[in-house]
Amino acid sequence: MVATMKSLSLSQARKLLLISQGLAGSKSQSAESKTGPKSYAKTLAVCESLGYVQIDTISVVQRAHHHTLWSRNPNYQVDHIEQLISDKKVFEYWSHAAAYLPMKHYRFSLPRKGALKSGQQKHWFRQDQKLMANILSRIDHEGPLMAKDFVSKGQKNNGWGSSPTKQALESLFMQGDLMISGRKNFHKIYDLTHRVLPNDLDSAMPNQQEHGQFLVMNFLSAQGFGTISEITYLLKNIKIQVSEAINALLESEEIEQITINGIDYFSRCDALALLNKRFNGKQLNILSPFDNLLIQRKRASAIFGFDYLLECYVPAQKRQYGYFCLPILWDGKLVARADCKADKKASSLNVIHLFIEPTLKNKAAFMTAFEQTLSAFSQFNGCDSYTIFNVSHRIA
């Protein structure tokens, strides 16, 4: 007898996704001090449940990694990441992009590092083995160093526009010989890998089955459900490995197939029980463009009906919504976008333009929730006040 595939409505799918992402609870601050141990522990728990937190350099508002964590921990402090690195609880590496990853997942970064070191996967940069060996020797003898601590005779190239020394450092980092032991003014500090890792960490290379199953279960735990293409998003040469892992996990009944709006997905067998949890639909979240919830734009469009493009990479004359428009989550839906900029001199968080989606029904209740969250977001950005300059309703 063939089991009937379970089907979720879009509303149920959104609830499952938001609960899995840690965006369905109360956003009110706890009575505990923001600097207390519970706040720090919550930040670590968020990192571990999400699986990664993307790093980005844009600082129109608080950088993406801080913003993503604050969206799930209202008592988050920007020094938490630095402390987590120092305590060896998270590490920097590449997910689909540069990210902070849970240290307990370190061994699952080794397949990519091994492929880069062996030449099975291409580096971004040409390998200067002599320069790389000299860099390793210096760091071995002198301790942690930044790129500026090296003098490079080469000229800047096109492409990434970085010096040969910086390229060599990044190559050593990507292939696992170096790790980031911290940052100073957002500049990376490199050290030998064995000096950065905790002494008791399991650093055994996973086999293909282990790696594939980790990728599947890690994604489904954080995202509630997913397709093969979503699970392997921007990851190279692993689709066959992930497909084999999915087949094994289906057979062992650790995952199952579900359908959402006519599209087939995979989910953990225990995931649908999350739909019985309480969902605070009236909680409003101002999200980073790099937030884990919507970094895959096609997925956000399929589940939320929200088409989103970050326009800071678009020529100014072609922008529809502004340089750095932030998606707004409310009532379980993505209902608006706000082009924001923190004016540190005036200590004001400026909403240059708020665009409301045509699907939003109760605009008065939304504006009340938006301004309440905007006040907290302003404080998070080091601003004493906020100003909303323009509000318009987007036409479908």
Side-chain angles (χ1 to χ4, degrees):
M1 182 176 177
V2 179
T4 303
M5 190 183 301
K6 295 173 183 175
S7 177
L8 298 185
S9 66
L10 279 173
S11 178
Q12 289 175 314
R14 287 193 288 264
K15 180 178 179 180
L16 175 56
L17 174 53
L18 294 174
I19 291 173
S20 300
Q21 278 284 293
L23 288 168
S26 173
K27 198 69 171 61
S28 60
Q29 295 180 357
S30 68
E32 187 204 27
S33 167
K34 289 185 179 184
T35 57
K38 288 184 180 179
S39 176
Y40 175 74
K42 172 66 173 176
T43 297
L44 174 59
V46 170
C47 288
E48 292 182 343
S49 64
L50 289 178
Y52 78 91
V53 177
Q54 185 170 334
I55 302 169
D56 196 75
T57 59
I58 298 173
S59 56
V60 175
V61 293
Q62 277 284 14
R63 288 189 171 102
H65 40 287
H66 297 310
H67 189 167
T68 297
L69 291 167
W70 176 82
S71 293
R72 293 156 176 84
N73 177 12
N75 289 321
Y76 173 74
Q77 296 289 287
V78 295
D79 63 357
H80 282 178
I81 282 289
E82 184 179 344
Q83 188 62 46
L84 287 169
I85 291 285
S86 178
D87 292 344
K88 302 186 177 185
K89 298 296 185 183
V90 303
F91 69 103
E92 282 194 40
Y93 196 59
W94 204 260
S95 178
H96 70 275
Y100 293 109
L101 305 167
M103 186 65 80
K104 68 179 186 178
H105 295 168
Y106 169 79
R107 64 191 293 255
F108 296 104
S109 71
L110 295 176
R112 179 173 188 150
K113 292 172 178 175
L116 286 166
K117 192 162 188 174
S118 67
Q120 291 179 329
Q121 189 171 323
K122 287 186 178 180
H123 280 272
W124 294 316
F125 306 124
R126 184 181 63 83
Q127 303 299 285
D128 185 333
Q129 298 297 334
K130 182 178 179 181
L131 179 58
M132 290 164 68
N134 288 338
I135 286 172
L136 283 175
S137 179
R138 275 197 62 184
I139 293 176
D140 185 23
H141 289 91
E142 298 177 36
L145 296 172
M146 294 186 287
K148 71 181 185 64
D149 295 317
F150 296 88
V151 177
S152 176
K153 296 179 181 179
Q155 295 180 344
K156 288 188 176 182
N157 58 18
N158 294 324
W160 285 54
S162 55
S163 68
T165 299
K166 191 166 184 179
Q167 292 181 14
L169 282 164
E170 282 297 294
S171 294
L172 288 164
F173 164 69
M174 287 300 297
Q175 71 183 33
D177 295 299
L178 296 178
M179 289 183 71
I180 309 301
S181 62
R183 284 180 181 251
K184 186 175 181 180
N185 297 325
F186 211 60
H187 295 288
K188 297 175 182 177
I189 303 170
Y190 298 88
D191 199 0
L192 300 181
T193 291
H194 73 86
R195 295 200 294 229
V196 176
L197 294 178
N199 293 329
D200 59 349
L201 184 71
D202 181 2
S203 57
M205 173 75 79
N207 60 38
Q208 286 198 356
Q209 182 182 18
E210 282 182 297
H211 187 221
Q213 293 194 11
F214 166 79
L215 292 173
V216 174
M217 297 302 279
N218 190 49
F219 182 92
L220 296 182
S221 294
Q223 295 282 351
F225 51 86
T227 63
I228 291 179
S229 62
E230 290 170 352
I231 294 167
T232 59
Y233 176 68
L234 295 184
L235 300 177
K236 295 182 179 179
N237 306 321
I238 60 160
K239 280 201 172 180
I240 293 176
Q241 189 176 327
V242 165
S243 295
E244 291 174 350
I246 284 173
N247 289 334
L249 290 166
L250 285 169
E251 188 173 342
S252 63
E253 297 185 343
E254 292 176 72
I255 67 172
E256 61 184 340
Q257 287 186 283
I258 63 172
T259 181
I260 300 168
N261 203 30
I263 300 173
D264 293 343
Y265 291 88
F266 300 98
S267 70
R268 291 174 57 122
C269 286
D270 57 0
L272 299 190
L274 294 176
L275 292 173
N276 296 320
K277 294 187 72 171
R278 180 181 177 275
F279 174 66
N280 182 8
K282 295 304 180 183
Q283 174 59 54
L284 186 142
N285 290 89
I286 300 171
L287 300 176
S288 166
F290 303 100
D291 193 280
N292 300 50
L293 179 72
L294 76 166
I295 194 62
Q296 295 196 39
R297 310 303 193 206
K298 288 183 180 179
R299 177 179 167 93
S301 179
I303 302 303
F304 291 97
F306 188 80
D307 294 320
Y308 177 71
L309 173 68
L310 178 58
E311 295 183 332
C312 61
Y313 306 115
V314 175
Q317 65 274 18
K318 294 185 178 181
R319 291 176 192 146
Q320 284 184 283
Y321 304 112
Y323 181 81
F324 206 66
C325 232
L326 310 180
I328 311 298
L329 175 71
W330 185 65
D331 198 23
K333 305 178 186 70
L334 290 164
V335 297
R337 59 195 87 200
D339 185 24
C340 294
K341 182 182 176 75
D343 184 343
K344 296 298 178 64
K345 289 183 179 180
S347 193
S348 175
L349 192 283
N350 294 332
V351 179
I352 301 164
H353 208 133
L354 173 66
F355 298 90
I356 296 175
E357 293 291 296
T359 52
L360 180 64
K361 303 302 180 187
N362 192 339
K363 297 180 177 64
F366 164 77
M367 287 303 299
T368 298
F370 176 64
E371 293 203 45
Q372 182 179 357
T373 300
L374 188 60
S375 178
F377 188 57
S378 300
Q379 294 176 39
F380 172 61
N381 277 275
C383 297
D384 296 327
S385 62
Y386 64 83
T387 303
I388 302 173
F389 287 96
N390 297 287
V391 179
S392 61
H393 299 82
R394 197 175 71 83
I395 299 173

